[in-house]
Amino acid sequence: MDPEIPVLSVIDLGIVRHVRSVANHGIEVGVSPTYSGCPATEVIRRSIVSALRAGGFAQARVVDVLSPPWSSEWITSEGREKLRRYGIAPPAAPVASVRGLFVQPQVACPRCGATETERVSEFGSTPCKAHYRCTRCAEPFDYFKCI
């Protein structure tokens, strides 16, 4: 599970890039970090290795996969729904260019569904999220940014 969003698995998040069998009954999992310097990345690596070793894969290891870089488009539809139910607005439409990263997206409130929302802060509870407020139901919420 993602240590920052406990309802979201690393599969839902789309960061697991491959799972390969390696010599001597080992297993390798390729993982793409969501953000450069994300503090959860090391926790995720250790959790994957721990789970695999508990499952009988004594030679488990995790490797970074940096190319192509992770994209919020890789979050599964199930993952997006889990984010919404948890109270975090999932990423809006994919960003087609670098300039698109600087345009404020239309974000729907995960509680009431209204699109009358406003960004309160570029950064929410973690750097990968922005903090928003719904002007219809007045609830604050995090928005998982598009990359």
Side-chain angles (χ1 to χ4, degrees), residues 72-73 80 90-96 100-101 105-107 143-147:
S72 54
E73 291 181 64
R80 291 170 187 275
V95 177
L101 293 171
Q106 184 176 31
V107 177
Y143 164 65
F144 201 106
K145 297 175 189 175
C146 289
I147 293 187

Side-chain angles (χ1 to χ4, degrees), residues 22-35:
V22 293
N24 300 325
H25 305 290
I27 194 162
E28 175 186 279
V29 178
V31 173
S32 289
T34 56
Y35 279 80

Side-chain angles (χ1 to χ4, degrees), residues 6 13 28 32 35 43 59 77 81 90 104 109 111 113 117 128 137:
L13 193 52
E28 175 186 279
S32 289
Y35 279 80
V43 174
Q59 302 300 319
S77 56
E81 184 56 31
Q104 190 168 340
C109 174
R111 290 176 178 85
T117 60
C128 60
C137 72

Side-chain angles (χ1 to χ4, degrees), residues 2-66:
D2 183 305
E4 296 174 339
I5 309 169
V7 298
L8 199 62
S9 75
V10 293
I11 302 296
D12 292 327
L13 193 52
I15 65 170
V16 173
R17 302 295 295 280
H18 67 259
V19 177
R20 296 183 180 138
S21 177
V22 293
N24 300 325
H25 305 290
I27 194 162
E28 175 186 279
V29 178
V31 173
S32 289
T34 56
Y35 279 80
S36 177
C38 174
T41 303
E42 185 56 35
V43 174
I44 290 169
R45 283 187 195 112
R46 286 192 306 249
S47 295
I48 291 171
V49 168
S50 178
L52 289 169
R53 289 185 178 159
F57 294 98
Q59 302 300 319
R61 73 181 186 139
V62 174
V63 296
D64 289 331
V65 179
L66 303 177

